[in-house]
Amino acid sequence: MKRSYGLALFSSALALSTVASPPAFAAQPRDPPDGIAKIETVVVIFAENRAFDNLYGHFPGAEGIDKASKESLQQRDRDGSVLSELPPVWDGLTAKGVTPPVTQAMTEHLPNEPFTVNDPKGFNVPLSVVTHDLWHRFYQNQMQINGGKNDMFVAWADSGAMPMSNWDASKTDMWAIAQKYVLADHFFMGGFGGSFFNHQWLICACAPYYANADKSPAKPSIAVTDASGTALKIADNSPKSARDGIPKFVSDGNLTPDFYAVNTMQPPYQPSGNDPAPGGDRLLADPTKPTTLPPQTEPTIGDMLSLKHINWAWYSGAWQYTLDHGNKTPIPNFQYHHQPFNYYANYAPGTEARREHLRDAGLAGASFIQAIDDGALPQVSFYKPQGNLNEHSGYADIQAGDRHIADVVAHLEKSPQWPHMLVVVTYDENGGIWDHVAPPKGDRWGPGTRIPAIIISPFAKRGYVDHTPYDTTSILRFITERFELPVLHGIVVRDKAVAAHGEPPLGDLSGGLDLN
Amino acid sequence: MDADRIVALVTAAGIELTDRRRNAKGDGWSLSFSSGATVEVGDDGSARVAGKGSKAVAKLLDMSHAPRGS
């Protein structure tokens, strides 16, 4: 299948254009809710890798684990049979170096049901401990969801029982904020799989593309799918049962067979995981590396905001530190693939757009917080916490990120811009972790698993659980309606796909607001 | 240490595998990770870490790392 290049041509032209009329392909935005103009500042905080049930599965009034049917709590093996017990967490539940560890042996013979990691009668691992990461990849996520039954999360994981883990987060700072404002309990990640892809969905509602990938260094990274096109082809030597080991696939690559990038690729510009080419431009990543994605040209929400002269910024924690000093672990542990605009030609090094819109949030968000305190936020801000504060399994714990984000919210509540502000705190994706609610049936790319989202504003309903179906693109819907932007193509396709499946339309976040 | 074991240990720490392929000589695997680290794993069990993020990956694998680019 070949991609239409019409949009790409538009995007290139956009950088040179000052014309404020919408492009020919764009649909008109739907009618905005009454009173939407009361929101003058939008802030999106994007944390990492938690399913809804993982943190908010016992939140009062929400559709949590307590409301799940017994069948939906059970996991099936790769042959479709119900597992008699969960496999162990391969290599143990806690991250390397954690003492005391929860070893693989300690996770043997768990019953086939969700378990609470910080249960005092169980593993009793506190929220401040880093735990084992899990596969969170494009095809595996679809295989795990299994048509909405959500009963193959363990079968197609690389971490044994780990997908069935959850936490009692009722004492966290963000839980209290969710109780004060609005918890959306039907908010789904925009795309299947991981962080790379879902950051793209947050800004573009699109799948990145690698033209002529079959003639590029990335060729071996083209995935091999089965006849369905939505699942990986299983290798002959793959263990037959989830209890026998991690599944193997013929090719679990980053690119679809028709060259869309759905798993992690590196940005073409620094900061990138890939160094510059020897003797090449120091501002670029080596384009001959198989994991360097060519610059993207699809229109983004940033392009649309700029088109309408709405000021906006992507604030990235430890961005300048990493450019100046290189990355450091465990702090700040900058994540290259969490910077979606750094994949786009419109924001290449040396462009005015990059200088204006890709901003350093400082270490631990210090510069972003300063902008909040000064009342200097642009009309639309995206904030990406640095790695150790993003709650991602494997290298970050929940407590540090939760406290950091709650602190940012506390500053926002005191900001001079607060009286007309909307804040959305959500996660990019589920991190490979099970959730019991079936995602709405959409298009080829998503929506994927349910994730937490908290709507915070002086106009937010108080102490409210919003059951409206949303996905990551609902954030874009709100921004599009509020600032009367042309609608990104991916949103149009998503809306049509959801409607074609007879699903209720995905909302624009206004279900959590009282704008009158 | 074989390639599967290295992948398991590194990805458990939240560092995604981004590429895996046979090396040009056909005597081992080249692994790339989201941190920018690369690991060359020989079929004989030898392993060499390089690239950005190599220090953290080497630590996970209990080995010294090539001091390049991190």
Side-chain angles (χ1 to χ4, degrees):
Chain A
M1 186 169 75
K2 292 287 184 184
R3 177 188 218 193
S4 165
Y5 283 88
L7 298 181
L9 289 171
F10 159 73
S11 181
S12 299
L14 185 65
L16 303 174
S17 173
T18 56
V19 178
S21 58
F25 74 87
Q28 294 302 308
R30 64 176 105 178
D31 289 339
D34 291 341
I36 193 170
K38 292 175 181 171
I39 303 296
E40 297 175 358
T41 306
V42 178
V43 178
V44 180
I45 300 175
F46 217 42
E48 284 285 312
N49 289 37
R50 298 289 159 186
F52 184 90
D53 281 336
N54 185 248
L55 293 182
Y56 293 93
H58 301 289
F59 193 89
E63 187 177 341
I65 299 171
D66 304 338
K67 296 184 180 177
S69 65
K70 186 183 176 188
E71 291 72 27
S72 69
L73 297 176
Q74 288 186 322
Q75 292 294 293
R76 293 180 181 273
D77 208 346
R78 293 169 195 153
D79 64 359
S81 62
V82 175
L83 285 163
S84 57
E85 62 182 28
L86 296 178
V89 179
W90 308 118
D91 288 320
L93 185 145
T94 45
K96 185 182 174 76
V98 169
T99 53
V102 175
T103 64
Q104 177 176 316
M106 294 164 70
T107 64
E108 299 273 3
H109 309 302
L110 287 169
N112 185 0
E113 62 188 20
F115 64 95
T116 303
V117 180
N118 54 344
D119 181 352
K121 297 176 183 173
F123 296 119
N124 198 23
V125 172
L127 286 156
S128 57
V129 165
V130 179
T131 53
H132 193 297
D133 196 18
L134 316 82
W135 267 347
H136 38 284
R137 297 176 65 79
F138 180 75
Y139 289 110
Q140 284 91 328
N141 186 218
Q142 295 175 77
M143 296 165 78
Q144 291 172 315
I145 291 169
N146 193 24
K149 294 192 284 288
N150 293 313
D151 56 2
M152 302 291 270
F153 271 79
V154 167
W156 302 118
D158 67 337
S159 51
M162 202 65 199
M164 300 310 289
S165 64
N166 63 73
W167 299 80
D168 175 0
S170 62
K171 303 293 191 295
T172 64
D173 294 344
M174 288 307 299
W175 181 288
I177 290 171
Q179 283 187 309
K180 181 178 177 183
Y181 295 104
V182 176
L183 178 68
D185 73 346
H186 280 74
F187 192 110
F188 300 83
M189 55 205 242
F192 299 114
S195 296
F196 162 80
F197 197 55
N198 276 287
H199 281 74
Q200 297 295 326
W201 272 81
L202 174 65
I203 67 154
C204 181
C206 72
Y209 190 66
Y210 196 130
N212 302 312
D214 57 341
K215 300 177 185 67
S216 81
K219 180 180 178 181
S221 192
I222 298 172
V224 175
T225 58
D226 69 9
S228 74
T230 61
L232 292 168
K233 186 173 182 182
I234 299 164
D236 292 339
N237 63 344
S238 181
K240 300 300 180 199
S241 170
R243 296 178 62 190
D244 294 336
I246 299 168
K248 296 177 185 288
F249 304 105
V250 173
S251 178
D252 177 13
N254 299 332
L255 307 175
T256 64
D258 53 348
F259 311 156
Y260 289 91
V262 291
N263 290 315
T264 301
M265 299 284 285
Q266 295 288 353
Y269 312 120
Q270 300 299 334
S272 171
N274 289 340
D275 286 321
D281 190 332
R282 302 297 299 170
L283 300 177
L284 308 181
D286 186 346
T288 68
K289 294 285 187 185
T291 55
T292 300
L293 188 68
Q296 297 296 294
T297 53
E298 196 87 356
T300 66
I301 194 69
D303 297 330
M304 296 303 169
L305 288 162
S306 295
L307 187 73
K308 297 298 288 282
H309 306 293
I310 307 299
N311 55 57
W312 65 276
W314 178 276
Y315 286 91
S316 173
W319 170 268
Q320 193 61 47
Y321 176 91
T322 303
L323 284 169
D324 293 343
H325 305 288
N327 203 1
K328 299 285 189 299
T329 55
I331 298 171
N333 204 359
F334 182 83
Q335 300 293 309
Y336 306 104
H337 60 294
H338 295 176
Q339 319 304 329
F341 287 105
N342 201 31
Y343 291 84
Y344 286 81
N346 280 350
Y347 305 95
T351 61
E352 178 61 18
R354 186 182 184 89
R355 189 198 64 75
E356 183 176 353
H357 301 299
L358 306 196
R359 298 187 191 173
D360 175 36
L363 288 174
S367 302
F368 179 56
I369 290 171
Q370 187 65 57
I372 293 169
D373 294 346
D374 292 344
L377 292 176
Q379 289 160 286
V380 177
S381 300
F382 299 92
Y383 173 52
K384 186 69 200 179
Q386 64 195 39
N388 66 301
L389 299 176
N390 71 17
E391 302 185 44
H392 190 298
S393 299
Y395 60 77
D397 64 82
I398 294 168
Q399 182 173 283
D402 186 275
R403 287 181 175 174
H404 171 62
I405 294 170
D407 180 55
V408 170
V409 170
H411 281 269
L412 289 164
E413 289 176 316
K414 296 172 191 159
S415 167
Q417 295 170 285
W418 170 251
H420 298 280
M421 184 180 287
L422 168 66
V423 183
V424 184
V425 177
T426 187
Y427 292 75
D428 64 336
E429 38 104 351
N430 68 323
I433 303 168
W434 167 86
D435 186 273
H436 82 277
V437 173
K441 287 185 169 56
D443 52 56
R444 172 185 180 184
W445 309 116
T449 299
R450 187 173 61 145
I451 52 177
I454 302 170
I455 298 170
I456 302 163
S457 170
F459 299 100
K461 295 172 182 173
R462 294 296 170 124
Y464 183 69
V465 178
D466 184 1
H467 304 305
T468 308
Y470 298 122
D471 77 355
T472 307
T473 65
S474 293
I475 297 168
L476 302 181
R477 286 184 183 84
F478 185 90
I479 293 170
T480 298
E481 292 171 14
R482 169 59 186 86
F483 298 107
E484 301 178 359
L485 310 180
V487 183
L488 291 167
H489 182 65
I491 296 177
V492 177
V493 172
R494 175 64 49 89
D495 285 345
K496 285 182 179 176
V498 167
H501 286 295
E503 301 271 3
L506 298 170
D508 58 7
L509 306 182
S510 61
L513 301 175
D514 183 0
L515 293 165
N516 296 313
Chain B
M1 194 176 297
D2 67 21
D4 285 345
R5 186 72 190 135
I6 289 172
V7 170
L9 289 171
V10 177
T11 58
I15 304 171
E16 287 179 61
L17 179 71
T18 54
D19 194 60
R20 174 181 177 150
R21 64 185 64 194
R22 292 296 287 174
N23 64 23
K25 288 184 178 177
D27 62 357
W29 293 93
S30 293
L31 309 175
S32 299
F33 294 94
S34 58
S35 64
T38 59
V39 183
E40 297 293 330
V41 194
D43 293 334
D44 60 1
S46 62
R48 188 176 66 85
V49 188
K52 293 180 179 177
S54 59
K55 190 174 178 181
V57 167
K59 191 175 177 184
L60 289 166
L61 302 178
D62 293 322
M63 51 191 290
S64 59
H65 75 288
R68 170 179 163 262
S70 63

